[in-house]
Amino acid sequence: MADTLQHFCVPPVRHKQLRLISQSGLFAVCFCFEQKPGEMWESSELSSILTNANWAVYSTPELTAAESCTEPLLPLANSHFSSVYTVLETEKWYHKPPHHWTKGNILEWISHHVEESQFDASSLDLASCSMDGPTLCQLSRDALLSLFGSLGERLFQNLLELKAQYGEGDLKMTCDFFNSLFEGYPEILNVSGGDSSYDLLITDERSGFCSYTQNDLKLLGDMTPSSDNGYESGRMSPDSLNSVTGALSFRSPNSPSSLGSDSDQDLTEEPMPRYTEGELKRRRGRPKKHNPGSELFRAKKRKYAVRGTHLWEFIRDILIHPEQNSGLMKWEDRREGVFKFLKSEAVAKLWGQKKRNSSMNYEKLSRAMRYYYKRQILERVDGRRLVYKFGKRSSGWREGEVGLSV
DNA sequence: GAGAACTTTCCTGATT
DNA sequence: AAATCAGGAAAGTTCT
């Protein structure tokens, strides 16, 4: 891995801004770019570098992953940004801060809200949608209301949220970069020998942002594949980002995240999907009824359905990071595994966000929760609304069991 | 290809 | 009245 990653480095410097560290320490790797002595990068600069590197990786799609790992990257400044622009999942609006959005991103974003809110798009003037991210970010609430009518309020609120979400700056993009990198080139993570579990530590040493170390980086590729229930697992993707914390969340055989999953607690391996990038993968579940009203304005759906944790794991992970869940849920009785939804719809929306399903709501989420009763992942708590209890086939939530350190 | 596992969606009816 | 709960049914994907 070190050899591989060092191809990205020009040349190594002492002040590492980003680094990958194996749990055993055997494979400590600098992942860095040239930095003048005494110079501290702004997060945006750092992100820009990494974003460019990201593009450099993706701008040579004809290379095999192996080739890409053995050949130095093109000079970053020569990255061909536009060549793959329209096909990259990483370029979707939900992967970028609003001020980096393109006109296309903005159209997709608006379409998303049109669809989600069942807004009558016929009242919209497409010319109103033609602006870039910086322009959009400068629009006032009134301006948005003026341009988009009643949809403007929704757009304004979401824009506020997105701005806040990316408020830590472009370091989130940095994290996204790694996700993108590993998604595209999982071989980078193939390390022979040593422990089978590695930490991925992506840090900004000044701000601490993304300093979320988890013992659950799953090595991909040359580990012996074992079973997978076939649903939520998968190679790392941007959706590995914890949607609550914004922190990187990877999975390993040893992590609580992989324990107690529904098929005999075996989510250990994450085989590559069988579909290819050219294939359309539909979202799991019963398709929504056709809504012809929004058809014209509907944004093209993402190419891949989201993979990540199971719902109950998602819920559990919110609970075990109470400082980061913004009051979404709380433990009623941690020892017994009893918990309560405080903001049920917000949790559902987060789940939907994770699954790229804008129509998720608490009603649907709760239906999925109820299915867990039969499988003893959850137990009923009679007479108490919004209260559930982890069952004996769940794991990773008990205090002594939580291996995720934050 | 069959079947299992799992989630999503829709639905009806009951309860709080 | 609205939110929530309960659970049947159908439909879809991905896996073994």
Side-chain angles (χ1 to χ4, degrees):
Chain A
M1 180 164 69
D3 288 344
T4 298
L5 290 177
Q6 278 174 354
H7 285 298
F8 292 85
C9 302
V10 233
V13 294
R14 292 187 182 185
H15 299 94
K16 292 175 287 187
Q17 295 294 317
L18 296 165
R19 57 187 177 184
L20 296 168
I21 301 176
S22 72
Q23 191 169 31
S24 65
L26 293 175
F27 301 102
V29 174
C30 291
F31 194 99
C32 45
F33 298 87
E34 189 168 21
Q35 181 187 37
K36 293 175 184 175
E39 178 186 1
M40 293 299 288
W41 280 326
E42 295 300 322
S43 62
S44 57
E45 295 172 312
L46 180 61
S47 175
S48 175
I49 290 168
L50 290 167
T51 303
N52 289 359
N54 190 12
W55 280 110
V57 170
Y58 280 100
S59 65
T60 55
E62 68 279 7
L63 291 178
T64 65
E67 287 169 338
S68 72
C69 291
T70 56
E71 293 295 327
L73 289 175
L74 296 170
L76 300 179
N78 294 336
S79 300
H80 304 296
F81 285 21
S82 60
S83 61
V84 290
Y85 178 80
T86 59
V87 299
L88 289 178
E89 173 62 20
T90 52
E91 281 300 291
K92 297 289 188 182
W93 64 269
Y94 40 74
H95 287 305
K96 302 198 295 189
H99 65 276
H100 285 184
W101 286 351
T102 63
K103 291 179 181 178
N105 289 144
I106 291 170
L107 200 57
E108 287 176 356
W109 173 65
I110 295 169
S111 299
H112 165 80
H113 285 284
V114 164
E115 182 180 4
E116 194 174 55
S117 63
Q118 307 287 309
F119 185 79
D120 179 11
S122 63
S123 63
L124 289 180
D125 177 6
L126 276 178
S128 304
C129 310
S130 181
M131 67 182 92
D132 57 16
T135 305
L136 175 69
C137 289
Q138 288 178 355
L139 291 182
S140 66
R141 177 174 174 275
D142 287 344
L144 284 167
L145 287 172
S146 168
L147 286 172
F148 302 108
S150 60
L151 186 67
E153 178 65 34
R154 181 190 181 94
L155 295 177
F156 176 72
Q157 293 300 331
N158 186 238
L159 192 57
L160 278 183
E161 290 172 13
L162 290 168
K163 284 178 180 176
Q165 181 183 334
Y166 286 96
E168 291 85 352
D170 301 299
L171 280 173
K172 184 178 185 300
M173 293 182 66
T174 298
C175 298
D176 288 342
F177 161 72
F178 279 105
N179 279 288
S180 303
L181 178 65
F182 297 143
E183 181 174 23
Y185 302 98
E187 294 80 359
I188 287 172
L189 295 172
N190 289 349
V191 182
S192 300
D195 294 340
S196 61
S197 176
Y198 295 82
D199 283 350
L200 177 62
L201 177 62
I202 302 178
T203 63
D204 172 357
E205 292 180 346
R206 289 168 294 148
S207 69
F209 182 74
C210 286
S211 58
Y212 186 59
T213 305
Q214 298 200 3
N215 290 327
D216 55 354
L217 168 61
K218 180 68 203 80
L219 283 182
L220 302 170
D222 67 355
M223 303 297 291
T224 303
S226 60
S227 69
D228 176 19
N229 68 1
Y231 169 50
E232 296 290 359
S233 62
R235 56 182 176 174
M236 289 179 216
S237 72
D239 306 304
S240 303
L241 280 172
N242 182 310
S243 58
V244 176
T245 64
L248 287 165
S249 175
F250 297 126
R251 314 175 72 199
S252 79
N254 302 325
S255 79
S257 294
S258 65
L259 294 173
S261 61
D262 307 318
S263 56
D264 297 322
Q265 293 72 51
D266 195 356
L267 275 173
T268 56
E269 285 299 330
E270 314 211 342
M272 303 292 279
R274 290 184 176 175
Y275 49 86
T276 67
E277 290 210 9
E279 296 170 340
L280 191 65
K281 178 171 171 282
R282 297 178 62 171
R283 184 191 301 155
R284 169 169 290 192
R286 181 175 172 168
K288 277 188 284 193
K289 280 185 175 176
H290 187 57
N291 180 5
S294 62
E295 194 66 41
L296 284 175
F297 213 82
R298 181 165 296 165
K300 189 178 177 182
K301 291 291 184 184
R302 56 179 291 146
K303 194 176 291 182
Y304 301 144
V306 173
R307 298 177 151 227
T309 54
H310 288 160
L311 171 58
W312 73 267
E313 293 172 317
F314 170 77
I315 297 298
R316 178 201 61 196
D317 291 345
I318 291 176
L319 284 161
I320 64 180
H321 297 296
E323 73 284 359
Q324 294 170 322
N325 74 27
S326 305
L328 295 174
M329 308 181 71
K330 70 169 185 177
W331 288 108
E332 293 267 295
D333 185 338
R334 176 70 182 267
R335 289 185 60 183
E336 294 296 319
V338 180
F339 59 92
K340 181 176 185 176
F341 283 83
L342 299 177
K343 299 175 183 173
S344 55
E345 282 299 329
V347 174
K349 285 298 175 194
L350 266 181
W351 175 239
Q353 187 180 326
K354 190 176 182 65
K355 304 295 289 290
R356 300 281 175 228
N357 177 1
S358 61
S359 64
M360 179 53 64
N361 56 27
Y362 179 70
E363 186 181 358
K364 295 170 188 172
L365 183 149
S366 64
R367 181 69 191 97
M369 296 284 280
R370 291 194 294 274
Y371 269 120
Y372 287 141
Y373 294 147
K374 189 176 287 185
R375 290 152 56 198
Q376 298 181 297
I377 290 168
L378 293 177
E379 294 177 16
R380 282 193 179 81
V381 178
D382 291 330
R384 302 203 58 198
R385 290 186 158 211
L386 301 173
V387 176
Y388 297 82
K389 178 183 179 181
F390 283 118
K392 61 185 179 185
R393 297 202 63 189
S394 64
S395 63
W397 53 269
R398 296 173 185 85
E399 280 174 299
E401 203 181 353
V402 177
L404 298 173
S405 59
V406 185

